[in-house]
Structure formats: C-alpha cells, structure tokens
Amino acid sequence: MYEEPYRWVEAVGNRRTYLDEQFRQGSPVVALGYDGGLLLTTVSKGTSKLYEIYDRIALGGMGHPADLEKLRFSLLEMAHTEGFNRSPSDVTGSRLVKYGIAPVIKQAFEEVYKAPFIVRILLAELSQKPEKDTLLTINYDGTFEELKEYAVLAATKQAQARMQEYLKAQKPSPCTLEQGLVLALRTWAIGSLAHQQDSAEVPADGGQETRREAVASIPDQAALLAHLREVLADKTLECAVLDRQQVGSSKYRALKPAELARLLPGDFQTGVNR
C-alpha cells in the first residue's frame, strides 16, 4: 500500500511521530565555543554519548545506543579512509555529514518497511582559527544544519528552542572554559527540565495555557542547580573538549573529574563530582 503516494506520506508521518516519542527520555547535548576550542557536554547513564571521530572532529549523540554506535563506526571508517587516501586536512565534518551519514539516515527514514535510525547527532569540528570552527546537527530524517558558536540536541523542538535562546542571551564572547562549562551545564538543565514539562500531563480546563506559561519561563539558577544535582545522583556528567593548544594531531580530550573540580565553581561541585 505504500506504493501509493498518500499512503507513503501517511506512513512517513506515523514514523516521525514514533521517533519523536523515542527521544522523550533522551539526554540533551550542548556544544559551544570557548577561547581555546570547542566544549561538548551531556549527561549519560552507562553508555557514553561523546566520542572522538578524528583529530579535530568530535561527536555527541542522543538516541538508541546501538544505532549511535553503528553510525559512529561508519564515521570512523569514512574519516580514516579519507585521511589515508587524501590527507588529514581533507577530513571535514561537512564532508562526513553531506556525503556520509546524512544520506544513509535519510534513506533509512524513508524506507518505511525497514527500521529507521533512532538518533540525533552533533558533530563538532575544530579549525585553525576560532571563526572557522563548525558545529553540525543531524536529525533522524537526515536533515542537517551547520552552525557557529553553539549548537544543541534536545528531545523536542520546544526544548531545543529554549536552550538556543538561553545560549544566545547568556554566552559571553570571548568565553573561557570555566564560563563555558557552567553555561553548558545550565543550558543542559534547561533542556532536561523542558523535556519534563513537555511530557507532563496537562489538565483538561485551561491546561494548554498553563503549559505554555511553564514552557515560556526560564527556571532560576537555584532551580537549575537543584535539577542537576538530582539527575547526577545516578547518572554521569560527560564533558570533552577539542583543545586548539593541545600538543599533537589529536585535539580531543575528555575532562576528568579532577579537571572538572578545578574548573567548576563550588556550588556546582557538590552535584557533579561524585
């Protein structure tokens, strides 16, 4: 029946609804530029969500761990093949997305008889100059966006919009790693709380208005910190940087607890350094 155009469109619509639902419990990902490179932050449970792909390219993702691993492996293979056959400077995030995984994800999404990839992916690419740094986001349907300065992944469009608005309003320029880390954690908490608000049950009378008001407001700093502490009681904070000053070809470095303890202000350390 999917050979009929209307049926195919209907099936794709159903698939989009199904995939949106799968991300309800997903953890947001925040990436932003600081004066020494690019910072990626998320919170995970069990399986890591931040990875090095190539010397200057890192990945953050949300979704099904098996799908994320499959696409990460594809990116690794493509990056190293390109680097060997051409040169390391020819391996770019843009090429990996446009000619690599975006067409694969799009095809899987549109083939309604097969399982789609349950993933949203963020690629961060460090350049020689800060103004050339690139952030790319890819949705489960293969659509992608190229951004500068900051990018986020979130479970819903509303949560993503709130995180982006917060970053736009709060991000200093230039931004130190310490400032960027605190800002990324607050932005993550905004996205996580927005997930909860979007998923909350809405009362029958006037519920829509109440929900819109709740979504429209940004929680204060104390509420964001309390939410972080609550979530990190049984989950792990993941932070990684692409450090422009790091010696050697690989610029990726995961931030260890000792480094986080040195970078974060005291009121954040109670929750994140467990």
Side-chain angles (χ1 to χ4, degrees):
M1 68 176 180
Y2 296 122
E3 293 174 358
E4 303 170 39
Y6 173 78
R7 296 292 189 186
W8 184 84
V9 171
E10 185 181 30
V12 168
N14 291 338
R15 173 167 288 217
R16 197 177 293 280
T17 302
Y18 164 75
L19 285 166
D20 285 339
E21 192 62 33
Q22 298 305 304
F23 288 97
R24 290 291 177 185
Q25 301 302 318
S27 172
V29 178
V30 182
L32 55 85
Y34 68 97
D35 56 7
L38 292 169
L39 167 69
L40 289 89
T41 302
T42 189
V43 173
S44 62
K45 187 172 184 178
T47 306
S48 176
K49 300 291 185 182
L50 302 181
Y51 303 96
E52 178 183 19
I53 296 298
Y54 203 65
D55 294 346
R56 293 174 170 271
I57 300 174
L59 176 149
M62 59 186 300
H64 197 289
D67 288 343
L68 190 59
E69 278 297 307
K70 186 174 183 178
L71 292 171
R72 182 175 76 92
F73 188 72
S74 297
L75 283 169
L76 283 168
E77 278 205 324
M78 182 179 176
H80 286 269
T81 302
E82 287 267 298
F84 180 79
N85 291 335
R86 297 168 182 265
S87 73
S89 62
D90 287 322
V91 182
T92 66
S94 181
R95 283 183 62 84
L96 293 177
V97 169
K98 293 176 182 176
Y99 306 113
I101 59 171
V104 173
I105 295 174
K106 179 179 183 295
Q107 183 175 4
F109 176 73
E110 293 179 345
E111 290 183 353
V112 294
Y113 286 117
K114 297 181 180 178
F117 288 109
I118 307 174
V119 290
R120 286 185 172 128
I121 287 174
L122 189 155
L123 276 189
E125 180 183 2
L126 188 75
S127 296
Q128 298 292 342
K129 298 180 179 178
E131 60 270 22
K132 299 290 186 181
D133 292 345
T134 304
L135 299 163
L136 296 116
T137 60
I138 314 163
N139 201 7
Y140 56 69
D141 59 1
T143 57
F144 58 86
E145 188 174 13
E146 194 167 330
L147 302 159
K148 299 289 184 184
E149 294 192 35
Y150 56 82
V152 300
L153 299 178
T156 64
K157 290 181 179 178
Q158 293 86 349
Q160 181 172 316
R162 296 188 72 193
M163 294 168 72
Q164 290 172 330
E165 288 169 8
Y166 186 75
L167 282 169
K168 183 178 180 181
Q170 300 292 326
K171 185 176 182 301
S173 182
C175 170
T176 66
L177 180 54
E178 291 87 343
Q179 291 172 322
L181 192 55
V182 171
L183 180 59
L185 287 174
R186 288 174 176 161
T187 305
W188 184 93
I190 288 170
S192 177
L193 283 168
H195 294 183
Q196 292 182 1
Q197 291 170 346
D198 288 346
S199 302
E201 290 187 5
V202 180
D205 53 338
Q208 291 295 342
E209 189 61 34
T210 302
R211 183 176 180 177
R212 278 194 293 272
E213 290 174 358
V215 170
S217 62
I218 296 291
D220 60 28
Q221 304 304 325
L224 296 178
L225 187 56
H227 180 66
L228 272 172
R229 287 172 174 162
E230 179 184 351
V231 172
L232 291 172
D234 62 349
K235 294 183 180 178
T236 303
L237 173 65
E238 279 192 80
C239 298
V241 293
L242 290 167
D243 186 348
R244 215 180 310 277
Q245 302 303 319
Q246 185 162 298
V247 177
S249 58
S250 174
K251 303 302 181 185
Y252 181 89
R253 184 178 82 254
L255 299 184
K256 304 296 184 186
E259 190 170 6
L260 287 173
R262 179 174 58 80
L263 293 169
L264 286 169
D267 52 351
F268 277 82
Q269 295 188 17
T270 306
V272 302
N273 291 322
R274 294 177 183 276

